[in-house]
Amino acid sequence: MVSSPHEAMHRIFEQDPGVFARAVRALGVPFEDPVSATPFPTDLTENRPLERRVDTLLRIHARGHSFLLAVEAQGKKDPGKPKDWAYYLAHLNAKYLMPSLLLVVCQDRSTAAWASETVNFGPPQWPALTLRPLVLGPDNVPVIDDPIKAASDIPLTVLSAVLHGRDPGVDAILKALAAALKGLEVRDPETAEIFVELTSQGLGKAPAANLWRDLVTDLSFFTSPLSQELRAEGHSEGLAEGLAKGVAQGVTQGVAKGLVEAQIKDILKLLDRRGVQVSSFDRSRIRSCDDLDTLSRWFDRAITAASIAEVFEDDSEH
């Protein structure tokens, strides 16, 4: 039950909105007397479905304390983003009752500089909320181009390669990363495969992506869909030169079938390793798919999807 003091402490401002300005003026905050005041509904519940999703959300456990880490990948400047980020943090603090931190990751230097700006919400005399995200970008993530250093922290090297993907030094990073992954494959081939794919996706259509494709092709231990596809392409080209058309078609069909099976295996493996619940019906749907484009799209989504529904999201549009 709401107490009388609680009611009085806020209803006084309904009775005389000007008391707000007069009270805070004594604190040295120069608000002017209001000219008018309009009551607004106090219910802040959304009456319509409103989807707000953070890219990645992790609960971080440290020595003696825990906090939530919300990670946002930001590709370009977006004036509307800061208010979304502020909402995320407020919502997370209220829902989970623990400190929350926003980390924004940017490939573009100007976007990283923009995202690093402190944003105040509220009147300029007294901002009620200040947004201060941590930002990672090309200027503050180190260039890891030494194979020994790369092997000691492969995830950071992948991030270094992705964020420096358009810089002149990226070639050295990719070569160091490839060498490090070759050592990782001996101990944990599944994780090595995931890092290969993440690097490929992170580079996108940057020129460095061609070098990465060459490095993956040269490293025969990789069995990821990317490396299998590349080696299959080269193998098919060689066969086409020396074999009859009918034989080549048979080989191509066999290669395609192998790629489909490998992609299905990797999708299910990735979802299982990330702890995403997959029903027997959904597993059957994935296993019955024989379209490489669809499977590739599902694999891309599986890297960050929080549920199997996100993997299949909007699939009817393709």
Side-chain angles (χ1 to χ4, degrees), residues 146-207:
D146 178 80
I148 296 177
K149 292 182 179 179
S152 67
D153 195 338
I154 291 177
L156 183 59
T157 307
V158 172
L159 181 63
S160 177
V162 170
L163 296 188
H164 292 282
R166 293 172 176 80
D167 293 347
V170 68
D171 290 8
I173 301 175
L174 294 177
K175 291 176 182 177
L177 175 58
L181 287 173
K182 186 173 184 179
L184 176 63
E185 188 272 342
V186 177
R187 307 185 306 274
D188 189 349
E190 294 180 357
T191 301
E193 291 176 14
I194 292 174
F195 285 143
V196 170
E197 301 300 333
L198 287 175
T199 304
S200 176
Q201 291 181 330
L203 292 173
K205 296 182 179 180

Side-chain angles (χ1 to χ4, degrees), residues 69-178:
L69 178 64
V71 184
E72 283 280 280
Q74 191 65 26
K76 61 182 180 179
K77 299 176 184 178
D78 182 351
K81 267 296 182 180
K83 63 178 177 58
D84 291 337
W85 292 338
Y87 174 88
Y88 295 162
L89 293 173
H91 176 80
L92 291 172
N93 275 280
K95 182 175 182 178
Y96 296 104
L97 301 178
M98 68 172 57
S100 301
L101 176 65
L102 172 66
L103 179 65
V104 183
V105 185
C106 308
Q107 288 180 305
D108 177 70
R109 283 180 166 81
S110 62
T111 302
W114 162 80
S116 299
E117 297 174 356
T118 297
V119 180
N120 292 319
F121 294 89
Q125 300 95 325
W126 191 272
L129 179 66
T130 299
L131 177 69
R132 297 178 60 216
L134 278 175
V135 178
L136 294 179
D139 288 335
N140 61 4
V141 169
V143 172
I144 303 177
D145 53 10
D146 178 80
I148 296 177
K149 292 182 179 179
S152 67
D153 195 338
I154 291 177
L156 183 59
T157 307
V158 172
L159 181 63
S160 177
V162 170
L163 296 188
H164 292 282
R166 293 172 176 80
D167 293 347
V170 68
D171 290 8
I173 301 175
L174 294 177
K175 291 176 182 177
L177 175 58

Side-chain angles (χ1 to χ4, degrees), residues 148-297:
I148 296 177
K149 292 182 179 179
S152 67
D153 195 338
I154 291 177
L156 183 59
T157 307
V158 172
L159 181 63
S160 177
V162 170
L163 296 188
H164 292 282
R166 293 172 176 80
D167 293 347
V170 68
D171 290 8
I173 301 175
L174 294 177
K175 291 176 182 177
L177 175 58
L181 287 173
K182 186 173 184 179
L184 176 63
E185 188 272 342
V186 177
R187 307 185 306 274
D188 189 349
E190 294 180 357
T191 301
E193 291 176 14
I194 292 174
F195 285 143
V196 170
E197 301 300 333
L198 287 175
T199 304
S200 176
Q201 291 181 330
L203 292 173
K205 296 182 179 180
N210 294 326
L211 172 61
W212 184 241
R213 289 167 67 91
D214 292 339
L215 290 171
V216 171
T217 304
D218 293 339
L219 297 173
S220 60
F221 62 85
F222 283 135
T223 58
S224 66
L226 172 65
S227 58
Q228 286 187 354
E229 180 180 355
L230 292 173
R231 289 195 292 273
E233 288 174 359
H235 186 56
S236 295
E237 290 176 1
L239 288 174
E241 293 178 0
L243 297 178
K245 181 178 179 180
V247 175
Q249 288 177 342
V251 172
T252 300
Q253 292 174 357
V255 169
K257 181 179 179 181
L259 292 175
V260 166
E261 292 175 350
Q263 187 75 293
I264 291 172
K265 177 182 176 182
D266 282 355
I267 292 171
L268 294 173
K269 183 191 302 179
L270 180 58
L271 291 171
D272 289 341
R273 288 176 65 87
R274 296 188 60 244
V276 177
Q277 297 295 320
V278 183
S279 67
S280 57
F281 175 81
D282 292 325
R283 286 182 185 273
S284 177
R285 178 178 177 180
I286 293 173
R287 290 192 176 109
S288 63
C289 180
D290 59 2
D291 181 68
L292 271 176
D293 290 338
T294 300
L295 290 170
S296 178
R297 188 164 60 249

Side-chain angles (χ1 to χ4, degrees), residues 14-37:
E14 296 179 8
Q15 184 67 27
D16 180 4
V19 73
F20 155 73
R22 298 193 298 274
V24 301
R25 206 172 290 150
L27 304 176
V29 185
F31 278 97
E32 298 180 355
D33 292 329
V35 175
S36 63

Side-chain angles (χ1 to χ4, degrees), residues 57-62 65-70 96 98:
L57 181 62
L58 303 171
R59 179 176 179 175
I60 304 296
H61 301 276
H65 67 281
S66 301
F67 65 94
L68 293 174
L69 178 64
Y96 296 104
M98 68 172 57

